[in-house]
Structures are given as structure tokens and as C-alpha cells.
């Protein structure tokens, strides 16, 4: 099973979300193959679009799971602006925690990220915990780690599949996570290089996931392996 994860970051309004799912659904219905069963496709829209995205996944009958891009380190309560794991659990199965954009722009680090993982797991959400390399601490209970070197994110220069596989193996050998995906300038052209071996369990795409045609092409290429 390989994971194909799309992180939309702070993009799309409700009209664009509708168009994305309509376009994706057309491609899926025209081209679906049994092989898609070997892929787990996860889309992470922003909080405000999760309800709409869930409705569209259901109405188009798509094999897509949803993830949030972040979660509150607190339970429900007086935390203005935060979205708790308890609120998220009826909408998503996954949650991205510790993305470098949150670490760098919002000073998120160590203890705070551990607390986010704790809250996610409490509500049975699966954390997709982003690491910048083998030195990033991974909190206990993380099932999926996402190796995302900062220099590769949005730069058009991806990590080499060999290095990404090496880091994935290190993480697994140290029993820090069962699954490791790679993220950073993944494209339809380079996706197969990352997924060809057994070390890397999937990819996390940012920019390319905004375009349903390109995201579908990633899926088709991954399914062809
Ligand atoms: P990118 O982003 O695919 O646009 O490089 C990846 C990410 O930040 O997860």
C-alpha cells in the first residue's frame, strides 16, 4: 500500500474546491483501474473546506480520505482560533503535524508538537508527522512520518530517491514510525522514482496537488508500478 497525500496548504475558495473534486471525479470515473486499490489517497484542505470536501467525496463516491493540516494542542474549550482533534474527528482520519511551514512561520516545536500528536491519537486521528531529516525528533505514537527537507519544498528541486529511501530506512530501523512518505517538489514525472522500492511508503505533494489533472497523473503513475 502506498500513500498519495495532497496538502493544499492555504489555498482554494469553495468554488475552486467544487471544481477540483468535479474534475478529479471525471478523471477517476473515466480511467479507474483495480490497481488504485493499492493506493491510499488523502487530501488535506484547509479547515474551512473540510465539511465541503467531505460532502464532495461522498457525493462523487471517491476513494479519497481527508486529512487536516494542523490540530490544536488543547482539548475543546476556550482556545480562540484553534480547532481541536475532537472537532476534527467527524471530518478527517489524518492530520499533518509539524510541517516546516508551521515550525518556521509559527514557531512550533518540540513540546507543542508532542502535545498535538497526543491530542490527535486520543481521538484516533492518524498523525502525518513532518520531519526535516533523521535528526528531527518524532513523538511516540506517530504512524506516518513525512520526510520533507525544507530546501525541496516548493523549490522545484526534489531530494534524490536514494537519499529519501536512506532516511526512510533509518526512521523505520529506529522504530520511530512504521511508515515514511517523502515530500518536496514531487511531480508526476519523479513520483515513480520515490515509490519504486520498498523503503518509501508514499509521497506528500503540495503545489502539484492543487491541480486535479496533475494530481491524477501522480496517482496513475504510482498505480502503474
Ligand atoms: P511541494 O510541497 O510539493 O509544493 O514542494 C510539499 C509540502 O510542503 O508538503
Amino acid at each position: 500500500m502506498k500513500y498519495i497525500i495532497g496538502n493544499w496548504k492555504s489555498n482554494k475558495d469553495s468554488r475552486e474546491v467544487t471544481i477540483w473534486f468535479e474534475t478529479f471525479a471525471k478523471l477517476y470515473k473515466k480511467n479507474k483501474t483495480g490497481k488504485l486499490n493499492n493506493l491510499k489517497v488523502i487530501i488535506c484542505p484547509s479547515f474551512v473546506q473540510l465539511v465541503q470536501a467531505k460532502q464532495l467525496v461522498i457525493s462523487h463516491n471517491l476513494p479519497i480520505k481527508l486529512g487536516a493540516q494542523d490540530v490544536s494542542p488543547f482539548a475543546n474549550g476556550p482556545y480562540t482560533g484553534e480547532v481541536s482533534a475532537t472537532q476534527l474527528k467527524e471530518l478527517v482520519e489524518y492530520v499533518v503535524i509539524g510541517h516546516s511551514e508551521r515550525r518556521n512561520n509559527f514557531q512550533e516545536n518540540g513540546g507543542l508538537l508532542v502535545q498535538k500528536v497526543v491530542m490527535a491519537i486520543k481521538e484516533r486521528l492518524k498523525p502525518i508527522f513532518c520531519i526535516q531529516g533523521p535528526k528531527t525528533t518524532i513523538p511516540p505514537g506517530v504512524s506516518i512520518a513525512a520526510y520533507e527537507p525544507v530546501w525541496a519544498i516548493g523549490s522545484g528541486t526534489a531530494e534524490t530517491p536514494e537519499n529519501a529511501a536512506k532516511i526512510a530506512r533509518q526512521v523505520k530501523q529506529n522504530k520511530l514510525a512504521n511508515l515514511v512518505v517523502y515530500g518536496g517538489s514531487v511531480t508526476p514525472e519523479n513520483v515513480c522514482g520515490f515509490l519504486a522500492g520498498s523503503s518509501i511508503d508514499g509521497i506528500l505533494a503540495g503545489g502539484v496537488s492543487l491541480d486535479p489533472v496533475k494530481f491524477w497523473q501522480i496517482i496513475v503513475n504510482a498505480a502503474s508500478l
Side-chain angles (χ1 to χ4, degrees):
M1 176 71 73
K2 300 281 190 188
Y3 287 72
I4 306 293
I5 308 168
N7 173 11
W8 286 355
K9 308 189 179 182
S10 202
N11 289 295
K12 295 197 186 295
D13 59 23
S14 57
R15 189 186 64 90
E16 291 166 329
V17 172
T18 299
I19 292 171
W20 192 98
F21 279 99
E22 274 172 4
T23 311
F24 187 92
K26 270 190 203 136
L27 292 165
Y28 171 65
K29 277 163 197 161
K30 210 160 88 189
N31 303 301
K32 67 176 157 181
T33 67
K35 280 199 169 176
L36 260 192
N37 295 336
N38 296 329
L39 300 177
K40 203 171 265 280
V41 180
I42 304 166
I43 291 289
C44 306
S46 56
F47 288 136
V48 286
Q49 280 137 6
L50 285 174
V51 171
Q52 184 192 359
K54 185 170 183 186
Q55 284 164 353
L56 288 163
V57 166
I58 293 169
S59 66
H60 289 296
N61 198 16
L62 294 172
I64 290 181
K65 306 284 183 197
L66 292 175
Q69 297 174 17
D70 190 21
V71 62
S72 173
F74 299 107
N76 281 351
Y79 304 101
T80 302
E82 288 297 295
V83 180
S84 72
T86 313
Q87 291 175 290
L88 284 173
K89 73 175 174 193
E90 62 178 355
L91 296 170
V92 304
E93 285 181 38
Y94 297 87
V95 57
V96 177
I97 297 176
H99 193 284
S100 59
E101 287 155 10
R102 296 218 57 87
R103 293 175 191 263
N104 297 337
N105 297 313
F106 304 97
Q107 290 72 50
E108 296 196 357
N109 55 42
L112 177 78
L113 297 178
V114 170
Q115 198 48 36
K116 290 187 176 202
V117 169
V118 167
M119 296 314 287
I121 291 173
K122 223 181 196 172
E123 295 294 2
R124 299 186 191 285
L125 301 178
K126 296 184 192 94
I128 300 169
F129 192 83
C130 299
I131 61 171
Q132 282 65 56
K135 290 200 181 119
T136 310
T137 309
I138 302 180
V142 165
S143 42
I144 307 174
Y147 167 49
E148 301 211 312
V150 175
W151 55 263
I153 294 176
S155 68
T157 306
E159 174 63 286
T160 64
E162 293 73 25
N163 278 343
K166 197 168 115 194
I167 284 165
R169 280 195 295 274
Q170 280 173 6
V171 169
K172 289 190 212 178
Q173 267 157 17
N174 294 334
K175 302 210 180 326
L176 299 171
N178 300 330
L179 301 168
V180 181
V181 301
Y182 167 74
S185 296
V186 173
T187 63
E189 290 73 34
N190 67 17
V191 64
C192 289
F194 294 106
L195 300 183
S198 59
S199 305
I200 303 174
D201 301 288
I203 59 89
L204 203 167
V208 156
S209 73
L210 295 172
D211 178 341
V213 177
K214 286 191 189 145
F215 191 67
W216 175 255
Q217 201 52 54
I218 284 190
I219 291 171
V220 169
N221 292 354
S224 74
L225 286 172

